[in-house]
Amino acid sequence: MSSTTTTSTTARTSIDTPDTPLSEVELLIGGMTCASCAARVEKKLNRMDGVSATVNYATEKARITYPAGIGVADLIDTVVKTGYTAERPAPPQPEPEQAPRDPELATLRQRLIVSALLAAPVVLLAMIPALQFDNWQWLSLTLAAPVVVWGGLPFHKAAWTNARHAAATMDTLVSVGTLAAFGWSLWALFFGHAGMPGMRHPFELTVSRTDGASMIYLEVAAGVIAFILLGRYLEARSKRRAGAALRALMELGAKDVAVLRDGREVRVPVTELAVGDRFVVRPGEKIATDGTVVEGASALDVSMLTGESVPVDVTAGDAVAGATVNAGGRLVVEATRVGADTQLARMARMVEEAQNGKAEVQRLADRVAGIFVPVVLVLATATFGGWLGATGDTAAAFTAAVAVLIIACPCALGLATPTALMVGTGRGAQLGILIKGPEVLESTRRVDTVVLDKTGTVTTGRMTLQEVYVAEGADEREVLRLAGALEHASEHPIARAVAAGAEKRVGELPAVERFENVPGRGARGRVAGREVAVGRLFEELPEDLARARDKAESSGRTAVVVGWDGVARGVLAVADAVKETSAQAVRELRALGLTPVLLTGDNQRVAEAVAETVGIDQVIAEVLPEDKVEVVRRLRAEGRTVAMVGDGVNDAAALATADLGLAMGTGTDAAIEAGDLTLVRGDLRVAADAIRLSRRTLATIKGNLVWAFGYNVAALPLAAAGLLNPMIAGAAMALSSVFVVTNSLRLRAFR
């Protein structure tokens, strides 16, 4: 006893210290059968000093944060003492070619089939008096007994476990209700008049006055168990389908890889890859892990990872992600990330963390589910007493009380959020949208302003050659050929843009002799026998080129003057190109009721030119990286609910400050960590898709909860009033859970 006290004191002392390190663990919880089970486990864990736990009924996992004074063994012990099992998840293993059958689902299916085959004749005999032959009731007993005892065994075991821990769950309601119906039937058959040859039994949907000694409820006991087993089976299958997107994501990666060792290809399992290893990817093969192309050129099918249907061209120096498919030539790739650090693994981890979370609306539902069962037991007792006092009919009172016990299932409440969240986040992952948690969904509903970072978000983030102006009498191809050749020798971003643009338009470029960089002004050198100069190296320009330069600069572009032998021959306009899809993305964001704002550290003229191109009215330019946070705060102070879309390190703080942060997956790790939503594809249109999917998922959660609450609010008074036969109540209760899961599965069709 003293040791326990010491542990608690230590834990309490440690958590009172602000700097106490907290650890986090995920446990698999076994034995949960409804939302009230999850609520009980969560409540018990959260009673431990310094422990914060979230238990998810749909995923059957607990995510627990605990202080230094408590160990994982203590957490598992608490769960076991509550009447359930707990263990750490097994480390991920390579998936076999053919996934094994789920033994739990197979057992449930077997129990359902046997129970349904035995219960069907019992229900038919009770419902159709014309089928009731002499001594039919004894055949019903013979068929119903295995259903109640063996078919209902999971409910009875769970109810007994709960009773030993002074608790009650949905299993308690089912077990007490069906055993009461079966027990009454046994009494009526052996000690009443129901066992007499020639006994006939009318079937009614509502409660009526009868002679209790001649009434049997075998169809209620067997039918309810069969219906609830059907509901459990459909629910379990649907939950597996709801989590299918995450499992598919985990299984996308390659299983083995051809690694280059001493110049030879050696086939090894992908788990043996290390950072720095070089491996070969042939056409049609998956890239084994994140890396950089060192040899070859190809097109990659990235649709599995980002949802993008257009293949992406890659060549030496380009980064590639694991699980994408090489659709073209042979590649040699150097591994830069392996195992849990890869983009695929991080995506899967983010999706799983989101599925394990709870929205605020679900926390309310869990609290209701936690107290619901004891309230129903009291209500059933009150119903029995009320009917008995009002009518004096024990059988009618008993029937109404059993109907109350059976109709009141809180399962739909527990499934409302997790199933919608599992399907929504899984579908998002397939489309290249990663939702960090359920609280993000609630933020998307309120957002009215979206702040867009310019560089890398609205624009490509790379300087490109936009326009070419040539002096009268000059040849455009010659201007490009000589300028491109000279700039090819420079490492400056503008020079690289000119060289790449020239090479794309005129083909191979000649060599450069005597290259000279002129800091801050440009470059000069000898190309094809001519003295070529590029940049601000000409004192005078012809009138037409001067106008071209002014036009380029007024539209926010950088003007590069090209000439040779001392004469200016052309002007090249270079700029950070606007992404082809950005204008459409802005239109889609406006259609969602959002006001777009362009935010950039670039100069006002450049920012306004980009804003005009994509259709944004409000521009905030020349902002230092550290001031982006202040801009977001100012907008929020004006009463706006702000979403921020960005991709750079300098956007991370603003993403975290905004009500909703959307990080471009093509950006930096800091931005991705700070965002609430990650857009794996570098396409701004996905931001609109992400907000639409989040809103649709939240709407589905709310619809599920309205149904679950409404069902119980409407059904309980009907049952207490004697307007529901217990067997009909059992069918309705089972179908309510199936409805909630099926409604959530509609999110899989989101486009």
Side-chain angles (χ1 to χ4, degrees):
M1 187 71 186
S2 59
S3 62
T4 307
T5 308
T6 306
T7 304
S8 300
T9 308
T10 306
R12 192 178 294 110
T13 305
S14 65
I15 61 165
D16 289 339
T17 308
D19 297 328
T20 300
L22 294 174
S23 302
E24 187 173 81
V25 69
E26 187 175 81
L27 297 179
L28 293 175
I29 308 296
M32 293 194 299
T33 53
C34 66
S36 51
C37 296
R40 277 190 61 222
V41 176
E42 189 172 292
K43 188 176 179 182
K44 289 281 188 183
L45 286 169
N46 283 323
R47 280 181 180 170
M48 299 175 72
D49 288 321
V51 171
S52 175
T54 301
V55 179
N56 190 314
Y57 168 52
T59 59
E60 297 179 336
K61 288 179 181 177
R63 187 172 292 280
I64 309 164
T65 304
Y66 60 97
I70 293 175
V72 175
D74 299 324
L75 301 172
I76 292 174
D77 190 46
T78 298
V79 175
V80 171
K81 285 178 179 174
T82 311
Y84 303 90
T85 63
E87 62 181 3
R88 279 186 158 173
Q93 299 291 331
E95 290 289 327
E97 289 299 317
Q98 187 170 358
R101 291 177 63 197
D102 185 338
E104 198 173 322
L105 199 62
T107 302
L108 188 55
R109 182 171 178 269
Q110 182 187 48
R111 202 177 290 272
L112 166 64
I113 291 171
V114 174
S115 297
L117 289 174
L118 293 175
V122 178
V123 172
L124 288 173
L125 285 169
M127 289 178 69
I128 306 172
L131 297 179
Q132 294 171 2
F133 51 87
D134 286 347
N135 295 315
W136 67 274
Q137 65 271 43
W138 296 103
L139 175 62
S140 290
L141 175 63
T142 305
L143 295 172
V147 178
V148 174
V149 176
W150 177 78
L153 188 61
F155 309 115
H156 307 321
K157 284 172 68 176
W160 173 245
T161 301
N162 290 325
R164 282 169 41 219
H165 292 89
T169 66
M170 173 247 175
D171 294 296
T172 308
L173 303 182
V174 174
S175 180
V176 170
T178 54
L179 288 177
F182 189 66
W184 179 286
S185 303
L186 288 177
W187 177 83
L189 283 168
F190 287 100
F191 303 105
H193 311 304
M196 302 292 290
M199 187 276 275
R200 296 294 181 266
H201 192 307
F203 179 81
E204 296 176 354
L205 294 176
T206 58
V207 175
S208 60
R209 291 183 65 112
T210 58
D211 173 16
S214 62
M215 289 295 294
I216 58 174
Y217 295 96
L218 293 171
E219 80 283 2
V220 171
V224 163
I225 284 173
F227 277 127
I228 295 175
L229 284 172
L230 174 63
R232 286 273 174 93
Y233 176 70
L234 293 175
E235 178 188 309
R237 256 186 41 166
S238 298
K239 277 160 62 177
R240 277 187 63 80
R241 288 170 63 196
L246 177 59
R247 286 194 300 277
L249 194 64
M250 298 288 279
E251 292 165 18
L252 277 180
K255 302 297 184 285
D256 54 22
V257 58
V259 180
L260 288 175
R261 299 265 166 87
D262 300 323
R264 293 189 309 109
E265 292 182 26
V266 181
R267 206 92 197 165
V268 299
V270 75
T271 50
E272 293 182 14
L273 261 183
V275 172
D277 280 351
R278 293 191 174 191
F279 57 92
V280 177
V281 189
R282 290 184 173 78
E285 290 184 343
K286 289 180 181 177
I287 292 177
T289 193
D290 296 0
T292 304
V293 177
V294 291
E295 282 181 35
S298 183
L300 297 187
D301 177 358
V302 297
S303 58
M304 291 185 288
L305 209 57
T306 68
E308 174 60 72
S309 57
V310 180
V312 176
D313 292 326
V314 294
T315 186
D318 289 338
V320 293
T324 52
V325 177
N326 180 11
R330 178 182 182 273
L331 295 175
V332 177
V333 178
E334 183 174 308
T336 55
R337 287 176 174 165
V338 295
D341 294 328
T342 63
Q343 184 179 345
L344 176 67
R346 288 159 69 200
M347 282 176 63
R349 194 158 57 244
M350 286 174 71
V351 173
E352 190 166 22
E353 285 172 2
Q355 292 181 352
N356 281 333
K358 288 188 182 179
E360 195 56 42
V361 284
Q362 179 63 27
R363 295 188 184 279
L364 172 63
D366 284 353
R367 285 196 291 273
V368 171
I371 61 170
F372 192 71
V373 174
V375 168
V376 169
L377 290 171
V378 171
L379 182 60
T381 305
T383 300
F384 182 81
W387 271 83
L388 194 61
T391 65
D393 186 342
T394 308
F398 173 80
T399 306
V402 169
V404 168
L405 285 174
I406 290 168
I407 196 73
C409 166
C411 276
L413 285 176
L415 291 167
T417 293
T419 51
L421 198 58
M422 286 170 76
V423 181
T425 52
R427 181 62 184 142
Q430 291 174 331
L431 297 173
I433 301 164
L434 303 183
I435 301 170
K436 275 200 175 172
E439 62 284 348
V440 171
L441 305 178
E442 288 159 347
S443 301
T444 60
R445 180 173 51 89
R446 300 187 298 270
V447 166
D448 53 34
T449 302
V450 57
V451 176
L452 305 174
D453 170 56
K454 180 183 78 71
T455 307
T457 302
V458 176
T459 65
T460 61
R462 298 186 307 275
M463 301 298 279
T464 55
L465 179 62
Q466 301 284 304
E467 299 284 347
V468 180
Y469 306 95
V470 295
E472 188 177 346
D475 177 53
E476 181 177 319
R477 286 183 61 83
E478 186 70 0
V479 167
L480 279 171
R481 194 172 75 92
L482 297 178
L486 183 64
E487 295 285 57
H488 197 273
S490 173
E491 290 298 316
H492 193 280
I494 292 176
R496 286 205 300 267
V498 170
E503 199 167 24
K504 186 175 181 181
R505 298 186 193 195
V506 302
E508 191 175 348
L509 302 174
V512 181
E513 300 172 19
R514 300 199 306 269
F515 174 82
E516 180 190 354
N517 186 45
V518 184
R521 297 190 64 198
R524 59 168 68 100
R526 188 171 181 81
V527 182
R530 291 176 173 152
E531 296 295 332
V532 181
V534 175
R536 291 181 294 176
L537 296 170
F538 296 89
E539 297 296 330
E540 293 183 9
L541 295 182
E543 189 177 337
D544 54 346
L545 289 186
R547 283 198 306 270
R549 181 192 60 191
D550 295 342
K551 178 185 176 184
E553 290 180 345
S554 66
S555 62
R557 294 172 178 173
T558 300
V560 178
V561 181
V562 182
W564 54 86
D565 300 334
V567 180
R569 316 280 179 162
V571 172
L572 309 179
V574 176
D576 179 6
V578 173
K579 292 178 181 177
E580 292 179 4
T581 56
S582 291
Q584 183 186 340
V586 170
R587 288 194 298 272
E588 291 180 8
L589 290 168
R590 285 189 185 279
L592 290 168
L594 306 177
T595 302
V597 177
L598 187 68
L599 178 65
T600 179
D602 217 333
N603 69 63
Q604 188 74 26
R605 195 167 53 187
V606 171
E608 287 175 354
V610 171
E612 186 179 352
T613 304
V614 298
I616 295 176
D617 302 323
Q618 188 174 350
V619 178
I620 302 172
E622 299 177 17
V623 178
L624 294 172
E626 57 268 26
D627 293 336
K628 288 187 176 183
V629 173
E630 288 306 316
V631 171
V632 172
R633 283 180 180 151
R634 190 175 74 238
L635 290 170
R636 293 181 69 190
E638 292 172 6
R640 303 198 203 186
T641 304
V642 179
M644 167 82 187
V645 187
D647 74 325
V649 172
N650 58 356
D651 300 320
L655 287 168
T657 305
D659 297 285
L660 180 69
L662 294 92
M664 303 295 276
T666 50
T668 63
D669 288 351
I672 292 169
E673 281 299 316
D676 302 306
L677 285 158
T678 299
L679 316 177
V680 177
R681 221 186 314 159
D683 185 340
L684 191 56
R685 289 177 301 178
V686 184
D689 290 340
I691 291 172
R692 281 196 306 116
L693 174 61
S694 298
R695 288 180 176 179
R696 181 84 60 83
T697 305
L698 183 64
T700 302
I701 288 172
K702 291 192 169 179
N704 286 347
L705 287 169
V706 166
W707 164 262
F709 273 118
Y711 160 81
N712 280 302
V713 167
L716 275 171
L718 288 175
L723 299 176
L724 279 179
N725 178 286
M727 190 179 67
I728 302 301
M733 182 272 287
L735 291 174
S736 72
S737 293
V738 176
F739 169 83
V740 163
V741 177
T742 306
N743 187 45
S744 297
L745 286 170
R746 293 190 307 128
L747 285 167
R748 296 200 307 174
F750 178 85
R751 294 284 181 272

